[in-house]
Each structure stands twice: as structure tokens, then as C-alpha cells.
Amino acid sequence: MDYLSKSMSLSSNVKITRKAYPWGRAYIVEGAGEAPLILPSVTTVLKLVKVEKYEKLREEFGDEKWDKIMANAAERGNIMHMMLELFLLEWAISKDVERSLKKAQIFAIEEARKDNGANSKLVERGRNLFWNFYNDRFWERISEVVENEIFLFTIFKGGWAGASDFVYRDLEGYLIVEDFKSATSPKEEDDILSYKLQITAYMFMCAEKYKEVPKMGRIRISNEQTGDLQTFTVHDYEMKEYLKQFVSLVEEFRKINEL
């Protein structure tokens, strides 16, 4: 793709430091140019994307209650993510499903016992979300684990950075970028523009890193109401259009925050 030719090859001698700003999280990259670069995180940039129904819910609940709901949802999702990460780390080495499941389960049990079980209910919710993935037997579609929870960055069009949940090759040998999401209820197409922009940003950074455009980015969402996983996809032939939208947001974000 022509936009890949415009990206720069980066030296391995770069230093990356994460830093919190009033506007969100960013990464300081030194050694990739004459001056240090400030790269906003992908998720920080995507705060510019507003979903009307969620904005209405915030108004209905009020900021304090809404922020509490979001904090609990984030903790629930963190448990699910960590269980998936531990499962996949072990599976990539041993290909032993029982050993992989045990690693994930031990983590959940230990988390549930912390602080006299103060967060045990949230841990159980995250664990149930993990079970939706496990029951899908997602590992059967993987031929090779390429990366698990990998930090990526680019200096294309001013740059951005972030961590992709999972990169693998499928049974046909195609490079796939996958992002794991949690939700209270099933998502509709109108809800997930930010997810598609996010996976596209990761696909682009993977294309730079591996010198290969991923066949697709897959957003897999586990929700608390059903036992099914939802899958939304950005194919390689859709990537350019979504990338244009994301780059436009990066430019707007930099302008607003004078970066």
C-alpha cells in the first residue's frame, strides 16, 4: 500500500518513556529523530470519538456514578485480559490447553483473595468473560503466536503508540491482529467505530514492524449477557479508509493540545 512507503524505518536504539499529561497518556520517544517525539496513545486520541447513546447515559447517571461504572468495567476487563494473556503465553510455549487454563485460573483465584476478597465480584465477572473466549476454543484457529500484548509505535503523520493484545498467524498463514474487548451487553455496529479505528492503528504499526500488511484486524467482544463472542473485522482492503479517519483524529488531537 502506498501509505506504508511513507513511514520511516526506526533505529533499534530508541528510548521510550510513558508519561501522563493532563490530556491523557503519551510516550516520549528519543533517538528516532533530532528531537524527542511525543506520541499520544491510540486510546487517548480516540477519546475524540463520541457515541451519542453513551453521552446520554453519562448525563442520565451523572459524572460520578458514570465514572464508577466505567472504573468497574475497566477492572472487569483487566481481569479478562490478564487471563487471556496468561493463557496465550503458556499456550504459545507448550500448546497444552490444560496447562494454559491452569495459569489463567491461578491468577484469577489469587486476585479474588486479595484484600480479603474486596474485589472478588469484579474478578468473577472478568473470569466469566474469559470463559466466553475459552468456550469458543479460539486457539484452534491459530497456527503461530507472533506476539502477545506487544507495544507498538509509529512516527507516521506525527505518530502514535499503543499496545496490541494479540498478533498471530491463522491456519492459512495470514498475519492477523486481534483485540479483546469486554462489554456488559452486545454491541451494535454504530457502537464500535472507535474499535475499528483502534485496530486499524495497530494494523498499520504491525505492517511497519513486520513489513507485511495484516490480512485483517479482528475485534472480539465478550459480553456479560450472552455466552457468545461478537466479532467485528477490518480487512486489509478496508484499512486505508479507516487509517485516513484515524490520522485525521491524530492531527485534530495534536492541534487541540498544541503538540
Side-chain angles (χ1 to χ4, degrees):
M1 293 183 178
D2 57 351
Y3 52 83
L4 292 180
S5 65
K6 298 176 183 177
S7 63
M8 295 177 62
S9 296
L10 298 173
S11 167
S12 59
N13 297 319
V14 297
K15 178 184 177 182
I16 304 169
T17 307
R18 188 166 76 173
K19 184 175 180 179
Y21 287 87
W23 41 257
R25 185 171 64 247
Y27 298 88
I28 313 301
V29 178
E30 299 174 272
E34 293 183 3
L37 302 171
I38 301 176
L39 305 182
S41 74
V42 173
T43 51
T44 295
V45 171
L46 289 172
K47 289 178 182 177
L48 292 176
V49 178
K50 304 296 183 184
V51 179
E52 185 177 352
K53 72 178 183 181
Y54 296 137
E55 293 301 305
K56 288 181 178 178
L57 284 172
R58 176 182 280 277
E59 290 180 11
E60 180 181 333
F61 287 115
D63 287 343
E64 185 176 348
K65 186 173 181 180
W66 182 253
D67 288 344
K68 178 65 174 176
I69 291 170
M70 291 296 98
N72 286 342
E75 182 59 29
R76 167 202 71 186
N78 288 339
I79 296 296
M80 182 198 78
H81 272 86
M82 196 64 203
M83 291 184 73
L84 285 166
E85 183 177 345
L86 290 167
F87 181 98
L88 287 165
L89 282 169
E90 176 58 38
W91 189 85
I93 297 167
S94 67
K95 299 296 188 293
D96 187 319
V97 174
E98 288 189 9
R99 282 176 60 90
S100 302
L101 180 58
K102 185 176 180 180
K103 289 285 182 72
Q105 292 282 54
I106 288 172
F107 164 77
I109 292 168
E110 290 176 347
E111 285 296 305
R113 290 174 175 169
K114 286 182 178 179
D115 299 322
N116 295 317
N119 291 321
S120 60
K121 289 184 179 179
L122 280 176
V123 172
E124 186 62 22
R125 289 171 65 188
R127 196 177 187 181
N128 289 338
L129 291 166
F130 165 82
W131 281 119
N132 290 343
F133 278 95
Y134 181 82
N135 292 333
D136 183 68
R137 303 183 68 84
F138 63 96
W139 60 87
E140 293 181 350
R141 294 184 289 274
I142 300 167
S143 66
E144 177 191 354
V145 174
V146 178
E147 300 282 1
N148 190 11
E149 193 69 27
I150 177 177
F151 175 77
L152 299 161
F153 73 97
T154 181
I155 59 175
F156 179 69
K157 295 292 185 179
W160 60 86
S164 177
D165 288 337
F166 191 42
V167 184
Y168 67 96
R169 292 196 179 276
D170 66 11
L171 300 180
E172 297 179 68
Y174 291 121
L175 189 66
I176 310 294
V177 181
E178 196 154 305
D179 212 33
F180 306 131
K181 300 291 186 184
S182 62
T184 301
S185 58
K187 297 287 188 181
E188 299 174 3
E189 186 72 32
D190 290 344
D191 301 333
I192 58 135
L193 174 60
S194 64
Y195 291 173
K196 288 193 169 184
L197 297 179
Q198 182 181 13
I199 201 73
T200 298
Y202 296 155
M203 290 169 71
F204 178 81
M205 292 188 287
C206 283
E208 284 192 323
K209 180 177 177 64
Y210 302 115
K211 311 303 179 187
E212 175 184 351
V213 177
K215 183 69 173 176
M216 68 181 73
R218 286 160 50 94
I219 303 143
R220 309 215 70 201
I221 307 174
S222 176
N223 73 81
E224 294 186 283
Q225 289 188 2
T226 73
D228 298 323
L229 291 180
Q230 289 182 283
T231 302
F232 297 92
T233 304
V234 175
H235 294 278
D236 51 0
Y237 54 82
E238 300 174 296
M239 182 178 161
K240 187 172 184 177
E241 188 55 42
Y242 283 113
L243 184 65
K244 286 180 180 178
Q245 292 182 58
F246 181 73
V247 167
S248 178
L249 286 174
V250 172
E251 292 171 346
E252 180 184 351
F253 184 87
R254 287 185 168 278
K255 183 177 181 180
I256 291 170
N257 295 288
E258 300 180 342
L259 298 179

